[in-house]
Amino acid sequence: MDLIKQPDYSPPPNCLNYPTPYTNKPLLGMAVLNGLKSVEGTSSYNQDRVIDPLNGQIYDAKMKLNPSGKCLSLRTYIGASILGRSQIWGSIQ
């Protein structure tokens, strides 16, 4: 994971008070996606888990890779996906 600096924010060097197995691990290089299960015949994934590196909260997730392979649509939620939020992650060239 690369960090994109935000104005007036300095991330902690380690994940303090995060759930196991993230406790006291370095923030830089953290695996934020776990449990990827490919949906056969599609570019979608479900049964994922994602951790928010800023606060240590773990969310369920669904993902879909766009046809060019350069953008990933990510839907995170707790419980039902209708009560979540969506993000689009792009690759940095």
Side-chain angles (χ1 to χ4, degrees):
M1 172 176 99
D2 286 333
L3 295 177
I4 298 173
K5 297 197 184 229
Q6 298 177 10
D8 301 324
Y9 176 75
S10 295
N14 290 330
C15 303
L16 304 175
N17 302 320
Y18 284 23
T20 304
Y22 304 101
T23 307
N24 295 322
K25 302 284 179 158
L27 185 62
L28 190 60
M30 176 195 299
V32 295
L33 301 171
N34 292 301
L36 300 171
K37 302 267 191 232
S38 177
V39 177
E40 190 173 331
T42 71
S43 60
S44 297
Y45 298 86
N46 60 18
Q47 298 179 358
D48 307 330
R49 306 282 288 180
V50 62
I51 185 167
D52 183 338
L54 300 179
N55 63 20
Q57 180 69 45
I58 297 177
Y59 299 94
D60 294 321
K62 295 179 182 180
M63 292 182 278
K64 183 173 183 171
L65 192 61
N66 78 343
S68 72
K70 297 188 186 251
C71 289
L72 181 73
S73 297
L74 175 69
R75 178 87 180 155
T76 58
Y77 55 94
I78 296 176
S81 66
I82 196 165
L83 302 174
R85 69 177 183 176
S86 297
Q87 294 181 342
I88 297 177
W89 293 6
S91 65
I92 298 174
Q93 303 282 328

